[in-house]
Amino acid sequence: MFSSLFLAFSVVSLAQAVQFNVTVGGGPLRYDPQFVNANPGDTIIFTFKQSNHTASQSTLAQPCVQASNGFDSGFMPVSSSNTNGPFPAAQYTVQDMNPVWVYCKQGDHCQQGMVFAINPGTQFAAFQAAAMGNTTVSSSSSASVTATATAPTGVITATATITGGGQTVTTTYGSFPGSAAPTSVTSTDHKVVVGGSTLTYTPSNITAQIGDTVTFQFMQKNHTATQSTFADPCRSLTLTSTSGQVGFDSGFMAVASNATTFPTYTIQINNTAPIWVYCKQSGHCGQGMVFSVNAVESGANNFAAFKAQAIRLNGTSSSTSTTSTGVQATQTKSSGAVKMNDRGTRVLVGIVGVVSMAGMFLA
């Protein structure tokens, strides 16, 4: 418990302030939405679901370490039998337009990607990937992220001897039935252009070797590179996995029409299993905006079938609308919550009631 109350005064009037509702946990290890863009005076209401999570301030450089003098909701245990509420909540008032980085300090939740941000710009994907230990953050205006693709079941371990460039290397790798074996001792970066004038990944289907990387370069307007499955093309692997797999997700990458620099997101290939990717911007997956790595073209689950499946479902399995920066913003009125600020003040427990939801997006 914190001992003092910090009162935050804003340059905007109370009538103009917006409250954003963020659900913490309750199933997937995530904050929903994962980031918001807010103005000084706006409030963020963290509503805690099962099982026992926190909203703790960290930094971009150290996502899973509490920032000095950063706010901290403390642990908020919620019984698994409590499905209808009431649920504990914590409130944070936005002080300025600077980014605010948040994580859950329960066990390894942060390392599994359970992070949140306020006003992250293009850096949320880099922040989340850094939390998962798979990234370097670019110092330029674009985000340069390296993530690891999650392999589906069915991968077996194989050993091969590879000769190339005067070298002979024996390697152990994950092999997916029907896929090609490694052919090179050198790694290749495969560049994939996302969006621009068409709703496509270009190229849309590639073959990559173990150790290769795939770099998604995001063009206009606001797209993602999100790992899914062949059976459910337009939903995140993280949400559909029954075995706890956490798929990669670039997050929304908003790019202005007059932009001259473009954010990137990079995954590393660790085995030969097919990797299925879609854009989770509203309606894009249903229009065939999908991508694959190492699809077995000689089998039924090839890229054309994956794209047809996405179009057939028309993106109906994709569930959320987004704001112009790719966040689902929920306006609320609060009857009390744990209040937090940058100095860690926490003063009141209460319940949050949702009254409306905003869902504008840049398609």
Coordinates of all heavy atoms in Angstrom, one line a residue, residues 38-108:
A38 N -3.1 8.5 -25.6 CA -3.9 9.4 -24.7 C -3.3 10.8 -24.5 O -2.1 11.0 -24.8 CB -4.1 8.7 -23.3
N39 N -4.2 11.7 -24.1 CA -3.7 13.1 -23.9 C -3.6 13.3 -22.4 O -4.2 12.6 -21.5 CB -4.8 14.0 -24.4 CG -4.9 13.9 -25.9 OD1 -3.8 14.0 -26.6 ND2 -6.1 13.8 -26.5
P40 N -2.8 14.4 -22.0 CA -2.7 14.7 -20.6 C -4.1 14.9 -20.0 O -5.0 15.6 -20.6 CB -1.9 16.0 -20.6 CG -1.1 15.9 -21.9 CD -2.0 15.2 -22.9
G41 N -4.3 14.4 -18.8 CA -5.6 14.5 -18.2 C -6.5 13.3 -18.4 O -7.4 13.0 -17.6
D42 N -6.2 12.5 -19.4 CA -7.0 11.3 -19.6 C -6.6 10.3 -18.5 O -5.5 10.4 -17.9 CB -6.6 10.6 -21.0 CG -7.2 11.4 -22.2 OD1 -8.0 12.4 -21.9 OD2 -6.9 11.1 -23.3
T43 N -7.5 9.3 -18.3 CA -7.2 8.3 -17.3 C -7.2 6.9 -17.9 O -8.0 6.7 -18.8 CB -8.2 8.4 -16.1 OG1 -9.5 8.3 -16.6 CG2 -8.0 9.6 -15.3
I44 N -6.4 6.0 -17.4 CA -6.4 4.6 -17.8 C -6.9 3.8 -16.6 O -6.4 3.9 -15.5 CB -4.9 4.2 -18.1 CG1 -4.2 5.2 -19.0 CG2 -5.0 2.8 -18.7 CD1 -4.9 5.4 -20.4
I45 N -7.9 3.0 -16.9 CA -8.5 2.2 -15.8 C -8.1 0.7 -16.1 O -8.5 0.2 -17.1 CB -10.0 2.3 -15.8 CG1 -10.5 3.7 -15.6 CG2 -10.6 1.4 -14.6 CD1 -10.1 4.4 -14.3
F46 N -7.2 0.2 -15.3 CA -6.8 -1.2 -15.4 C -7.8 -2.1 -14.6 O -7.9 -1.9 -13.3 CB -5.4 -1.4 -14.8 CG -4.3 -0.7 -15.6 CD1 -3.9 0.6 -15.2 CD2 -3.7 -1.2 -16.7 CE1 -2.9 1.3 -15.9 CE2 -2.7 -0.5 -17.4 CZ -2.3 0.7 -17.0
T47 N -8.5 -2.9 -15.2 CA -9.5 -3.8 -14.5 C -8.9 -5.2 -14.5 O -8.6 -5.8 -15.6 CB -10.8 -3.9 -15.2 OG1 -11.4 -2.5 -15.3 CG2 -11.8 -4.8 -14.5
F48 N -8.7 -5.8 -13.3 CA -7.9 -7.0 -13.2 C -8.9 -8.2 -13.1 O -9.8 -8.3 -12.3 CB -7.1 -6.9 -11.9 CG -6.0 -5.9 -11.9 CD1 -6.3 -4.6 -11.6 CD2 -4.7 -6.2 -12.3 CE1 -5.3 -3.6 -11.7 CE2 -3.7 -5.2 -12.4 CZ -4.0 -3.9 -12.1
K49 N -8.6 -9.2 -14.0 CA -9.3 -10.4 -14.1 C -8.4 -11.5 -13.5 O -7.3 -11.3 -13.0 CB -9.7 -10.7 -15.5 CG -10.6 -9.6 -16.1 CD -12.0 -9.6 -15.4 CE -12.9 -8.6 -16.1 NZ -13.4 -9.0 -17.5
Q50 N -8.8 -12.8 -13.7 CA -8.0 -13.9 -13.2 C -6.6 -13.9 -13.8 O -6.5 -13.6 -14.9 CB -8.8 -15.2 -13.5 CG -10.2 -15.4 -12.9 CD -11.2 -14.7 -13.8 OE1 -10.9 -14.2 -14.9 NE2 -12.4 -14.7 -13.3
S51 N -5.6 -14.3 -13.1 CA -5.6 -14.8 -11.7 C -5.0 -13.8 -10.7 O -5.7 -13.3 -9.8 CB -4.8 -16.1 -11.6 OG -5.2 -17.1 -12.5
N52 N -3.8 -13.3 -10.9 CA -3.2 -12.4 -10.0 C -2.1 -11.6 -10.7 O -1.0 -12.1 -10.9 CB -2.5 -13.2 -8.8 CG -2.1 -12.3 -7.7 OD1 -2.3 -11.1 -7.7 ND2 -1.4 -12.9 -6.7
H53 N -2.4 -10.4 -11.2 CA -1.6 -9.6 -12.0 C -1.3 -8.2 -11.4 O -1.9 -7.9 -10.4 CB -2.2 -9.4 -13.4 CG -2.6 -10.7 -14.1 ND1 -1.6 -11.6 -14.6 CD2 -3.8 -11.3 -14.3 CE1 -2.2 -12.6 -15.1 NE2 -3.5 -12.5 -14.9
T54 N -0.4 -7.5 -12.1 CA -0.1 -6.1 -11.7 C -0.1 -5.2 -12.9 O 0.0 -5.7 -14.0 CB 1.3 -6.0 -11.0 OG1 2.3 -6.0 -12.0 CG2 1.5 -7.1 -10.0
A55 N -0.1 -3.9 -12.7 CA 0.2 -2.9 -13.7 C 1.3 -2.1 -13.1 O 1.1 -1.3 -12.2 CB -1.0 -2.0 -14.0
S56 N 2.6 -2.4 -13.5 CA 3.8 -1.8 -12.9 C 4.5 -1.1 -14.0 O 4.8 -1.6 -15.1 CB 4.6 -2.9 -12.3 OG 3.9 -3.7 -11.4
Q57 N 5.0 0.1 -13.7 CA 5.7 0.9 -14.7 C 7.2 0.5 -14.8 O 7.8 0.2 -13.8 CB 5.7 2.4 -14.3 CG 6.3 3.3 -15.3 CD 6.1 4.8 -15.0 OE1 5.6 5.2 -13.9 NE2 6.5 5.7 -15.9
S58 N 7.6 0.4 -16.1 CA 9.0 0.0 -16.4 C 9.6 1.0 -17.3 O 9.2 2.2 -17.4 CB 9.1 -1.4 -16.9 OG 8.4 -1.5 -18.2
T59 N 10.5 0.6 -18.1 CA 11.2 1.5 -19.1 C 11.3 0.7 -20.5 O 11.2 -0.5 -20.5 CB 12.6 1.9 -18.7 OG1 13.4 0.8 -18.6 CG2 12.5 2.7 -17.4
L60 N 11.5 1.4 -21.5 CA 11.7 0.8 -22.8 C 12.9 -0.1 -22.8 O 13.0 -1.2 -23.4 CB 11.8 1.9 -23.9 CG 12.0 1.4 -25.4 CD1 10.9 0.5 -25.8 CD2 12.2 2.6 -26.3
A61 N 14.0 0.4 -22.2 CA 15.2 -0.3 -22.1 C 15.2 -1.6 -21.3 O 15.8 -2.6 -21.6 CB 16.4 0.6 -21.6
Q62 N 14.4 -1.6 -20.2 CA 14.3 -2.7 -19.3 C 12.8 -3.0 -19.0 O 12.2 -2.6 -18.0 CB 15.0 -2.5 -18.0 CG 16.5 -2.4 -18.1 CD 17.2 -2.2 -16.8 OE1 17.0 -1.2 -16.1 NE2 18.0 -3.2 -16.4
P63 N 12.1 -3.6 -20.0 CA 10.6 -3.8 -19.9 C 10.1 -4.5 -18.7 O 9.0 -4.3 -18.2 CB 10.3 -4.6 -21.2 CG 11.5 -4.3 -22.1 CD 12.7 -4.2 -21.2
C64 N 10.9 -5.5 -18.2 CA 10.5 -6.3 -17.1 C 11.1 -5.9 -15.7 O 11.2 -6.8 -14.8 CB 10.8 -7.8 -17.4 SG 9.9 -8.3 -18.9
V65 N 11.6 -4.7 -15.6 CA 12.1 -4.2 -14.3 C 11.4 -3.0 -14.0 O 11.2 -2.0 -14.8 CB 13.6 -3.9 -14.5 CG1 14.2 -3.3 -13.2 CG2 14.4 -5.2 -14.9
Q66 N 10.9 -2.9 -12.7 CA 10.1 -1.7 -12.3 C 11.0 -0.5 -12.3 O 12.1 -0.5 -11.8 CB 9.6 -1.9 -10.9 CG 8.6 -0.8 -10.5 CD 7.8 -1.1 -9.3 OE1 7.7 -2.3 -8.8 NE2 7.2 -0.1 -8.7
A67 N 10.5 0.6 -12.9 CA 11.2 1.8 -13.0 C 11.3 2.5 -11.6 O 10.4 2.4 -10.8 CB 10.4 2.8 -14.0
S68 N 12.4 3.2 -11.4 CA 12.6 3.9 -10.2 C 11.5 5.0 -10.1 O 11.3 5.8 -11.0 CB 14.0 4.6 -10.2 OG 14.2 5.4 -9.0
N69 N 10.8 4.9 -8.9 CA 9.7 5.9 -8.7 C 8.5 5.7 -9.6 O 7.6 6.5 -9.7 CB 10.1 7.3 -8.7 CG 11.2 7.7 -7.7 OD1 11.1 7.2 -6.5 ND2 12.2 8.4 -8.1
G70 N 8.5 4.5 -10.3 CA 7.4 4.3 -11.2 C 6.2 3.8 -10.4 O 6.3 3.3 -9.3
F71 N 5.0 3.9 -11.0 CA 3.8 3.5 -10.4 C 3.7 2.0 -10.3 O 4.3 1.3 -11.2 CB 2.5 4.1 -11.0 CG 2.2 3.7 -12.4 CD1 1.7 2.4 -12.7 CD2 2.4 4.6 -13.4 CE1 1.5 2.0 -14.0 CE2 2.2 4.2 -14.8 CZ 1.7 2.9 -15.0
D72 N 2.9 1.4 -9.4 CA 2.7 0.0 -9.3 C 1.4 -0.3 -8.6 O 1.1 0.2 -7.5 CB 3.9 -0.6 -8.4 CG 3.8 -2.1 -8.3 OD1 3.1 -2.7 -9.0 OD2 4.5 -2.6 -7.3
S73 N 0.5 -1.0 -9.3 CA -0.8 -1.3 -8.7 C -0.7 -2.3 -7.5 O -1.6 -2.4 -6.7 CB -1.7 -1.9 -9.8 OG -1.2 -3.2 -10.1
G74 N 0.4 -3.0 -7.5 CA 0.5 -4.1 -6.5 C -0.2 -5.3 -7.1 O -1.0 -5.2 -8.1
F75 N -0.1 -6.5 -6.5 CA -0.8 -7.7 -7.0 C -2.2 -7.6 -6.7 O -2.7 -7.2 -5.6 CB -0.2 -8.9 -6.4 CG 1.2 -9.3 -6.9 CD1 2.4 -8.9 -6.3 CD2 1.3 -10.0 -8.1 CE1 3.6 -9.2 -6.8 CE2 2.5 -10.3 -8.6 CZ 3.7 -9.9 -8.0
M76 N -3.0 -8.0 -7.7 CA -4.5 -7.9 -7.6 C -5.1 -9.4 -7.8 O -5.4 -9.7 -8.9 CB -5.0 -7.0 -8.7 CG -4.6 -5.6 -8.5 SD -5.5 -4.8 -7.2 CE -5.2 -3.1 -7.5
P77 N -5.1 -10.2 -6.8 CA -5.6 -11.5 -6.9 C -7.1 -11.6 -7.2 O -7.9 -10.9 -6.6 CB -5.2 -12.2 -5.6 CG -5.2 -11.0 -4.6 CD -4.7 -9.9 -5.4
V78 N -7.5 -12.4 -8.2 CA -8.9 -12.6 -8.5 C -9.1 -14.1 -8.6 O -8.4 -14.8 -9.3 CB -9.2 -11.9 -9.8 CG1 -10.7 -12.2 -10.2 CG2 -9.0 -10.4 -9.8
S79 N -10.1 -14.6 -7.9 CA -10.4 -16.0 -7.8 C -10.8 -16.5 -9.2 O -11.6 -15.8 -9.9 CB -11.5 -16.3 -6.8 OG -11.9 -17.6 -6.9
S80 N -10.5 -17.8 -9.5 CA -10.9 -18.3 -10.8 C -12.4 -18.5 -10.9 O -13.0 -18.6 -11.9 CB -10.2 -19.7 -11.0 OG -10.5 -20.6 -10.0
S81 N -13.0 -18.5 -9.7 CA -14.5 -18.7 -9.7 C -15.2 -17.4 -9.8 O -16.5 -17.4 -10.0 CB -14.9 -19.3 -8.3 OG -14.6 -18.5 -7.2
N82 N -14.5 -16.3 -9.8 CA -15.1 -15.0 -10.0 C -15.1 -14.6 -11.4 O -14.1 -14.1 -12.0 CB -14.3 -13.9 -9.2 CG -14.9 -12.5 -9.3 OD1 -16.0 -12.3 -9.9 ND2 -14.2 -11.5 -8.7
T83 N -16.2 -14.9 -12.1 CA -16.3 -14.7 -13.5 C -17.2 -13.5 -13.9 O -17.2 -13.0 -15.0 CB -16.9 -15.9 -14.3 OG1 -18.1 -16.3 -13.7 CG2 -15.9 -17.1 -14.1
N84 N -18.0 -13.0 -12.9 CA -18.9 -11.9 -13.1 C -18.6 -10.7 -12.4 O -19.3 -9.7 -12.5 CB -20.3 -12.4 -12.8 CG -20.8 -13.5 -13.6 OD1 -20.6 -13.5 -14.8 ND2 -21.5 -14.5 -13.0
G85 N -17.5 -10.6 -11.6 CA -17.2 -9.5 -10.8 C -17.8 -9.5 -9.5 O -18.6 -10.4 -9.1
P86 N -17.6 -8.4 -8.7 CA -16.8 -7.2 -9.0 C -15.3 -7.5 -9.1 O -14.8 -8.5 -8.5 CB -17.1 -6.3 -7.9 CG -17.4 -7.1 -6.7 CD -18.1 -8.3 -7.3
F87 N -14.6 -6.7 -9.9 CA -13.2 -6.9 -10.1 C -12.4 -5.7 -9.6 O -12.9 -4.6 -9.7 CB -12.9 -7.1 -11.6 CG -13.6 -8.3 -12.2 CD1 -14.6 -8.1 -13.1 CD2 -13.1 -9.6 -11.9 CE1 -15.2 -9.2 -13.7 CE2 -13.8 -10.7 -12.5 CZ -14.8 -10.5 -13.4
P88 N -11.2 -5.9 -9.0 CA -10.4 -4.8 -8.6 C -9.9 -4.0 -9.8 O -9.8 -4.5 -10.9 CB -9.3 -5.4 -7.8 CG -9.2 -6.8 -8.4 CD -10.6 -7.2 -8.7
A89 N -9.7 -2.7 -9.5 CA -9.2 -1.8 -10.6 C -8.2 -0.9 -10.1 O -8.1 -0.6 -8.9 CB -10.4 -1.1 -11.2
A90 N -7.4 -0.4 -11.0 CA -6.4 0.7 -10.7 C -6.5 1.8 -11.7 O -6.7 1.5 -12.9 CB -5.0 0.1 -10.7
Q91 N -6.3 3.0 -11.3 CA -6.4 4.1 -12.2 C -5.1 4.9 -12.3 O -4.5 5.2 -11.3 CB -7.5 5.1 -11.7 CG -7.7 6.3 -12.5 CD -8.8 7.2 -12.0 OE1 -9.9 6.7 -11.8 NE2 -8.6 8.5 -11.8
Y92 N -4.8 5.3 -13.5 CA -3.6 6.1 -13.7 C -4.0 7.3 -14.6 O -4.7 7.2 -15.6 CB -2.5 5.3 -14.5 CG -1.3 6.1 -14.9 CD1 -0.4 6.5 -14.0 CD2 -1.2 6.6 -16.2 CE1 0.7 7.3 -14.4 CE2 -0.1 7.3 -16.6 CZ 0.8 7.7 -15.7 OH 1.9 8.5 -16.1
T93 N -3.5 8.5 -14.2 CA -3.8 9.7 -14.9 C -2.6 10.1 -15.7 O -1.5 10.2 -15.2 CB -4.2 10.9 -13.9 OG1 -5.3 10.5 -13.2 CG2 -4.5 12.1 -14.7
V94 N -2.9 10.3 -17.0 CA -1.8 10.6 -18.0 C -1.3 12.0 -17.7 O -2.1 13.0 -17.6 CB -2.3 10.5 -19.4 CG1 -1.2 10.9 -20.4 CG2 -2.8 9.1 -19.7
Q95 N 0.0 12.2 -17.5 CA 0.6 13.4 -17.2 C 1.1 14.3 -18.4 O 1.0 15.5 -18.4 CB 1.9 13.2 -16.3 CG 1.6 12.3 -15.0 CD 0.6 13.0 -14.1 OE1 0.8 14.1 -13.7 NE2 -0.5 12.3 -13.8
D96 N 1.6 13.6 -19.4 CA 2.1 14.3 -20.6 C 2.0 13.3 -21.8 O 1.4 12.3 -21.7 CB 3.5 14.9 -20.4 CG 4.4 13.8 -19.8 OD1 4.4 12.6 -20.3 OD2 5.2 14.1 -18.9
M97 N 2.6 13.7 -22.9 CA 2.6 12.9 -24.1 C 3.7 11.9 -24.2 O 3.8 11.2 -25.2 CB 2.5 13.8 -25.3 CG 1.3 14.7 -25.4 SD -0.2 13.7 -25.5 CE -0.1 12.9 -27.1
N98 N 4.6 11.9 -23.2 CA 5.7 11.0 -23.2 C 5.2 9.5 -23.1 O 4.2 9.2 -22.4 CB 6.7 11.3 -22.1 CG 7.4 12.6 -22.3 OD1 7.7 13.0 -23.4 ND2 7.7 13.3 -21.2
P99 N 5.9 8.6 -23.7 CA 5.6 7.1 -23.5 C 5.6 6.7 -22.1 O 6.5 7.1 -21.3 CB 6.6 6.4 -24.4 CG 7.2 7.4 -25.3 CD 7.1 8.7 -24.6
V100 N 4.7 5.8 -21.7 CA 4.7 5.2 -20.4 C 4.6 3.7 -20.7 O 3.8 3.2 -21.4 CB 3.4 5.6 -19.6 CG1 3.4 4.9 -18.2 CG2 3.4 7.1 -19.3
W101 N 5.6 3.0 -20.1 CA 5.7 1.5 -20.3 C 5.3 0.8 -19.1 O 5.7 1.1 -17.9 CB 7.2 1.2 -20.7 CG 7.7 2.1 -21.7 CD1 8.6 3.2 -21.6 CD2 7.5 2.0 -23.1 NE1 8.9 3.8 -22.8 CE2 8.2 3.1 -23.8 CE3 6.7 1.2 -23.9 CZ2 8.1 3.3 -25.1 CZ3 6.6 1.4 -25.3 CH2 7.3 2.5 -25.9
V102 N 4.5 -0.3 -19.3 CA 3.9 -1.0 -18.2 C 4.1 -2.5 -18.4 O 4.1 -3.0 -19.5 CB 2.4 -0.7 -18.1 CG1 1.7 -1.4 -16.9 CG2 2.2 0.8 -17.9
Y103 N 4.2 -3.3 -17.3 CA 4.4 -4.7 -17.4 C 3.7 -5.4 -16.2 O 3.4 -4.7 -15.2 CB 5.8 -5.1 -17.4 CG 6.6 -5.1 -16.1 CD1 6.9 -6.2 -15.4 CD2 6.9 -3.8 -15.5 CE1 7.6 -6.2 -14.2 CE2 7.6 -3.8 -14.3 CZ 7.9 -4.9 -13.7 OH 8.6 -4.9 -12.5
C104 N 3.5 -6.7 -16.3 CA 3.0 -7.5 -15.2 C 4.2 -8.1 -14.5 O 4.9 -8.9 -15.2 CB 2.0 -8.5 -15.6 SG 1.4 -9.6 -14.3
K105 N 4.3 -7.9 -13.2 CA 5.5 -8.5 -12.5 C 5.3 -9.8 -11.9 O 6.1 -10.3 -11.1 CB 6.1 -7.5 -11.5 CG 5.2 -7.2 -10.3 CD 5.8 -6.1 -9.4 CE 5.0 -5.8 -8.2 NZ 5.6 -4.8 -7.3
Q106 N 4.2 -10.5 -12.2 CA 3.9 -11.8 -11.7 C 4.8 -12.8 -12.5 O 4.8 -12.9 -13.7 CB 2.4 -12.2 -12.0 CG 2.1 -13.6 -11.6 CD 2.2 -13.9 -10.1 OE1 3.2 -14.4 -9.6 NE2 1.1 -13.6 -9.4
G107 N 5.6 -13.6 -11.8 CA 6.4 -14.7 -12.4 C 7.1 -14.3 -13.7 O 7.8 -13.3 -13.7
D108 N 6.8 -15.1 -14.7 CA 7.4 -14.8 -16.0 C 6.4 -14.2 -17.0 O 6.5 -14.3 -18.2 CB 8.0 -16.0 -16.6 CG 7.0 -17.1 -16.9 OD1 5.8 -17.0 -16.5 OD2 7.3 -18.1 -17.6

